[in-house]
Amino acid sequence: MNLSGTLSVYNPQTRLTMFESGPQNSRGSVVFVGGLLDGYNALPYLPLLGKYLEEQLNFSLIQVMLTSSHMGYGISSLQEDVRELDILFTFLREERAKTRLFFIGHSTGCQDAISFASHGRNRSNIQGMVLQGPVSDREFMISSLDDMYGKYVRLAQRMINDGKGQELMVREVDVAPVTAYRFNSLASVGGDDDMFSSDIPFESMQALFGQVKTPLIMVHSGKDEYIPSHINKEQLISNLTNASPSSLGAVVLPEADHAISDLASQTTFCEAVVQFIQRVMFTLEQEEKEQQRVFEGLSI
């Protein structure tokens, strides 16, 4: 199954593009933002998701290219992602007349979703968010880098203290060029990217997710290879869900890996996304009807 659609420039200054598939004249769209190293068509479930959105909601699927896409994440930041997403959502509202916009973040795209819903100028333009595969980069890096983890964190923090936070670290640190700031953000306790770690105090989680007013669901993979085996996944899922006042619940795909590679889990995921959007849209429509009744009453 392949996706066909239209490539458009949404940011003329930087020539950043978006790829829209499905009914492009629809007022409803889902914006998908991937994780580290991701670009267009990076996730195996995207063609099926596009099919579900078109057939069941008459929505299009929009994939977006950010400066941080592919190998660019190491020299970018969540703040830069939010600035570019603000430009994207302005474009979608003003140039494409989109009135129903939903956000799906995958992996580090989940941090983008939380950041945008907390600080984006156009955060009121999104009606709901799906966080698929929210994981801790820090906990994964601790388990994968072993003894080098502490060495690299100390190097990054030393560079930041010396006023060199935007300079590149040594080449061995990562597959992509990475600044001291971005490595520290991903790897250190309390870094900007540190949102889904199992050891974050519950009160801190509440403070972080309490800024988000947009309805959301989190979708977790039971066999997520980026969550270390010693992590209590059930407790983590419970904490993340309970700390999010705008959460409409969590979905767990028992057999899924981080990217949701198996077809059965992809189907369950797509069904969950459609049901979530339908639920949010029903609530919005009821609120709009009530507002209209109040307006008509005042007019009389």
Side-chain angles (χ1 to χ4, degrees):
M1 188 186 302
N2 295 312
L3 284 170
S4 60
T6 302
L7 189 68
S8 303
V9 174
Y10 72 88
N11 189 341
Q13 284 70 40
T14 57
R15 305 300 296 169
L16 288 171
T17 60
M18 55 167 252
F19 180 78
E20 184 174 17
S21 54
Q24 297 173 37
N25 59 348
S26 171
R27 295 297 180 91
S29 297
V30 169
V31 174
F32 173 84
V33 176
L36 305 185
L37 294 174
D38 287 341
Y40 288 139
N41 297 333
L43 275 295
Y45 60 72
L46 288 173
L48 186 62
L49 176 63
K51 182 173 184 288
Y52 265 75
L53 293 175
E54 179 174 3
E55 293 181 353
Q56 300 195 29
L57 298 170
N58 193 39
F59 270 39
S60 69
L61 174 64
I62 295 173
Q63 300 179 56
V64 58
M65 192 68 68
L66 303 171
T67 299
S68 61
S69 299
H70 294 301
M71 297 284 278
Y73 66 87
I75 56 174
S76 191
S77 65
L78 294 178
Q79 293 81 7
E80 181 62 26
D81 288 349
V82 169
R83 284 191 287 270
E84 292 173 357
L85 288 168
D86 264 320
I87 294 171
L88 170 71
F89 282 102
T90 297
F91 176 83
L92 293 176
R93 293 280 293 193
E94 296 182 358
E95 302 298 326
R96 296 298 172 86
K98 304 288 187 181
T99 57
R100 289 288 186 259
L101 289 166
F102 289 78
F103 192 126
I104 294 181
H106 161 73
S107 198
T108 305
C110 297
Q111 282 98 304
D112 280 329
I114 294 296
S115 298
F116 183 78
S118 301
H119 308 295
R121 289 183 292 102
N122 292 315
R123 58 186 179 274
S124 62
N125 287 349
I126 55 174
Q127 279 71 58
M129 303 190 306
V130 178
L131 310 186
Q132 187 271 304
V135 296
S136 167
D137 293 283
R138 171 166 62 84
E139 290 180 329
F140 174 73
M141 292 167 80
I142 291 173
S143 66
S144 61
L145 292 175
D146 298 322
D147 295 339
M148 302 305 292
Y149 167 79
K151 171 187 174 182
Y152 294 153
V153 169
R154 289 190 294 272
L155 172 60
Q157 293 176 344
R158 185 165 63 248
M159 291 175 66
I160 291 171
N161 292 338
D162 291 342
K164 300 178 179 179
Q166 294 304 317
E167 293 190 17
L168 296 178
M169 297 180 68
V170 294
R171 189 67 182 87
E172 68 185 53
V173 170
D174 203 354
V175 295
V178 60
T179 64
Y181 160 77
R182 191 62 196 263
F183 186 86
N184 188 71
S185 178
L186 291 164
S188 294
V189 175
D192 290 342
D193 284 89
D194 190 23
M195 298 183 186
F196 305 110
S197 298
S198 63
D199 59 358
I200 296 176
F202 185 70
E203 294 75 14
S204 298
M205 281 189 180
Q206 286 181 308
L208 172 64
F209 297 124
Q211 302 176 73
V212 177
K213 309 304 180 186
T214 308
L216 66 87
I217 59 170
M218 296 189 190
V219 181
H220 305 270
S221 295
K223 296 181 178 179
D224 197 317
E225 65 273 25
Y226 288 94
I227 299 179
S229 58
H230 69 275
I231 301 297
N232 185 329
K233 293 182 182 180
E234 291 75 17
Q235 186 62 54
L236 175 60
I237 292 170
S238 175
N239 287 345
L240 290 172
T241 303
N242 292 328
S244 307
S246 61
S247 173
L248 299 185
V251 177
V252 179
L253 306 174
E255 300 302 317
D257 61 9
H258 188 59
I260 315 184
S261 300
D262 68 293
L263 182 57
S265 296
Q266 290 177 21
T267 301
T268 303
F269 170 68
C270 293
E271 291 172 347
V273 170
V274 168
Q275 290 168 8
F276 168 71
I277 293 174
Q278 289 173 331
R279 180 179 177 183
V280 172
M281 288 182 62
F282 176 79
T283 301
L284 289 172
E285 289 166 0
Q286 294 300 112
E287 292 175 350
E288 290 170 355
K289 288 179 181 178
E290 180 60 28
Q291 290 173 357
Q292 182 63 28
R293 283 195 291 268
V294 171
F295 176 76
E296 291 173 352
L298 292 174
S299 300
I300 294 173

